[in-house]
Amino acid sequence: HPKLRVELALVRFCSCSCSCSSCRKKKKNDTMQRICATVLLLLALAAFADAFIGSSPLLLRNNAKRVQPAARAARTTTLSFSPKMTATTGEEVEEEVAAAGLLPADRYIACNRFTVRDGAGPRFEKRWAERKSSIATLEGFKFFTLLRRCDDMPDVSKNDGSLKVYPEGTPDYMSMTWWQNRKTFNSWRTGFAFKEAHGGGSLAGFLGAMLGSMMVLKDAPLPAMFEGLVAESVSGGGSPIVLKGRNAEGKAEADGVEALPAECFVAMNRFNVKAGCEKDFETIWQNRESTLKETKGFVAFTVLRAPNTGSKATPPGGPFGQDGINYSTCSVWDSKESWMQWFADSKKEGGSHKPAAPREGPPLKDLLNGPPSPLFWDGLLALESKDGA
């Protein structure tokens, strides 16, 4: 790992069977060297675990009160979906958010962003397709997909047929899991299912996961946690998502050469809401008239709120990082074509992008520090709970 340098002693193993004092002393020194080298190796593995999967099987920690190292917290990208971890507990933040008059969370969304090496996308997808996971059976689980940046998406703000250009630093992939609440996420985070998905909890399994990640990733994953507001979805039984490339057991078949087929489509629109305008912004979404559930291809929708928004724990520069992005819409569809059709219809008279009726309060543009920034993803390896996202 480029951020970690560890010097391990080169141990020379003594095969001498002599029992003289000089040889005994030499063997003792060799043993101490091997012990020191082993300790250094274990510390290195713990650091790798912290960097790559956010949890170490060698060090027990209180994740609720964990503080990110300054160097890691400073490693932000243009996308800036990196939460600033503080010692403030979730309960304290929720109390401050409520005191600020903001909406309570309907969902808790956990994401991890990945930038892969050139040409390593299919191998990265294969690793996800083959990993063991019982997450869909857990209480509070709602929805999962591995998001692959959609690079063939037309720029809907233009009519010239050009493709969407993303900001530099936009990750290639992002895992996204919807939970009922923060409590159920934490139960998974500290339980067997998390260990199962990250090497099985054994040192050998962890080493395999770590080495595999190093082979396909350019850098360590960057986590991002959100509160989901005004969530709505179709029931799992009525979901239009069609699983593709699965075997008889429902497992995705990946060869590491060809990219996996998209099973859903995710559209995001990110907002930099001015300080003090968060309540007005959320009120717009709370009071909107939605017909999404009646729209062909719709799966789920929520408004993502950055951690600590509206609380004293919000770090300088914005809770998402340097660009101050603190909210984002997130809609899930069965395909890109369904979203494109909905977007075209929404632009027509009476569509969702036209105000249905006058409302009180400032217009949306007056609440923002700049225009929204859209982001589009193909969803792979989709999992849904039976009652929907």
Side-chain angles (χ1 to χ4, degrees):
H1 191 278
K3 302 294 190 300
L4 176 67
R5 295 183 180 181
V6 177
E7 294 183 6
L8 300 179
L10 297 177
V11 181
R12 181 171 63 87
F13 294 91
C14 179
S15 60
C16 178
S17 60
C18 179
S19 60
C20 68
S21 59
S22 61
C23 285
R24 286 199 304 270
K25 183 176 180 181
K26 182 178 179 300
K27 289 179 181 179
K28 182 178 180 180
N29 290 338
D30 284 346
T31 300
M32 291 303 299
Q33 286 183 354
R34 288 196 292 272
I35 292 174
C36 291
T38 301
V39 170
L40 285 173
L41 178 60
L42 291 176
L43 290 174
L45 293 176
F48 274 122
D50 181 72
F52 277 93
I53 62 175
S55 176
S56 169
L58 306 174
L59 301 177
L60 299 178
R61 301 185 179 188
N62 184 345
N63 290 316
K65 296 184 178 181
R66 182 177 170 192
V67 180
Q68 294 280 33
R72 184 176 174 189
R75 193 170 67 246
T76 58
T77 66
T78 305
L79 183 63
S80 292
F81 267 17
S82 182
K84 306 299 183 181
M85 309 299 264
T86 70
T88 307
T89 66
E91 291 76 10
E92 291 172 342
V93 170
E94 289 171 3
E95 290 176 0
E96 293 185 10
V97 166
L102 303 185
L103 296 176
D106 297 326
R107 297 288 185 269
Y108 192 75
I109 317 297
C111 301
N112 225 2
R113 295 163 293 151
F114 307 89
T115 301
V116 300
R117 299 180 184 275
D118 294 341
R123 285 186 290 144
F124 178 75
E125 296 172 13
K126 184 175 186 290
R127 286 181 52 79
W128 278 85
E130 294 179 344
R131 71 192 307 187
K132 296 180 179 180
S133 177
S134 57
I135 191 173
T137 65
L138 299 182
E139 179 183 0
F141 169 79
K142 306 300 291 182
F143 178 73
F144 167 84
T145 185
L146 176 65
L147 302 175
R148 178 178 62 209
R149 192 182 64 226
C150 187
D151 291 333
D152 61 349
M153 185 67 187
D155 191 334
V156 295
S157 65
K158 303 177 182 178
N159 295 319
D160 57 4
S162 60
L163 297 179
K164 170 67 180 174
V165 177
Y166 299 104
E168 183 180 356
T170 302
D172 305 310
Y173 291 87
M174 183 167 72
S175 63
M176 181 176 70
T177 312
W178 294 29
W179 295 91
Q180 182 67 45
N181 49 44
R182 187 194 303 259
K183 181 179 179 181
T184 52
F185 163 76
N186 285 333
S187 295
W188 166 78
R189 185 72 171 74
T190 57
F192 171 76
F194 178 86
K195 295 180 181 179
E196 178 187 44
H198 295 86
S202 66
L203 182 58
F206 160 69
L207 277 172
M210 181 191 73
L211 293 175
S213 296
M214 293 174 63
M215 294 295 291
V216 297
L217 297 181
K218 288 184 178 180
D219 205 347
L222 293 175
M225 308 301 167
F226 308 97
E227 293 169 314
L229 314 177
V230 295
E232 57 179 312
S233 68
V234 297
S235 64
S239 172
I241 288 180
V242 177
L243 304 183
K244 302 174 183 177
R246 306 293 182 101
N247 59 24
E249 298 178 351
K251 296 280 291 183
E253 296 182 327
D255 59 10
V257 178
E258 298 294 331
L260 290 174
E263 296 177 338
C264 61
F265 179 77
V266 175
M268 295 181 174
N269 211 13
R270 305 181 307 135
F271 300 89
N272 183 334
V273 178
K274 296 177 181 178
C277 295
E278 297 90 352
K279 184 177 179 179
D280 288 332
F281 179 81
E282 293 184 8
T283 300
I284 291 177
W285 294 98
Q286 181 185 28
N287 296 336
R288 85 193 197 286
E289 296 180 5
S290 173
T291 58
L292 286 174
K293 287 186 178 181
E294 289 75 47
T295 305
K296 181 181 178 181
F298 171 75
V299 178
F301 171 86
T302 190
V303 175
L304 305 178
R305 180 172 63 200
N308 304 334
T309 296
S311 79
K312 297 177 182 178
T314 301
F320 279 82
Q322 295 175 349
D323 60 5
I325 295 294
N326 47 8
Y327 287 91
S328 175
T329 59
C330 179
S331 60
V332 184
W333 302 80
D334 67 340
S335 66
K336 177 173 66 176
E337 291 71 24
S338 292
W339 183 87
M340 293 286 290
Q341 184 62 55
W342 167 83
F343 183 81
D345 292 342
S346 70
K347 289 292 186 181
K348 299 176 182 178
E349 184 176 356
S352 60
H353 281 76
K354 301 288 185 180
R359 61 175 180 81
E360 297 182 358
L364 177 61
K365 65 178 183 179
D366 291 347
L367 306 178
L368 308 178
N369 286 314
S373 174
L375 190 58
F376 303 101
W377 310 86
D378 287 323
L380 320 175
L381 308 173
L383 288 172
E384 293 179 273
S385 67
K386 61 181 181 180
D387 55 349

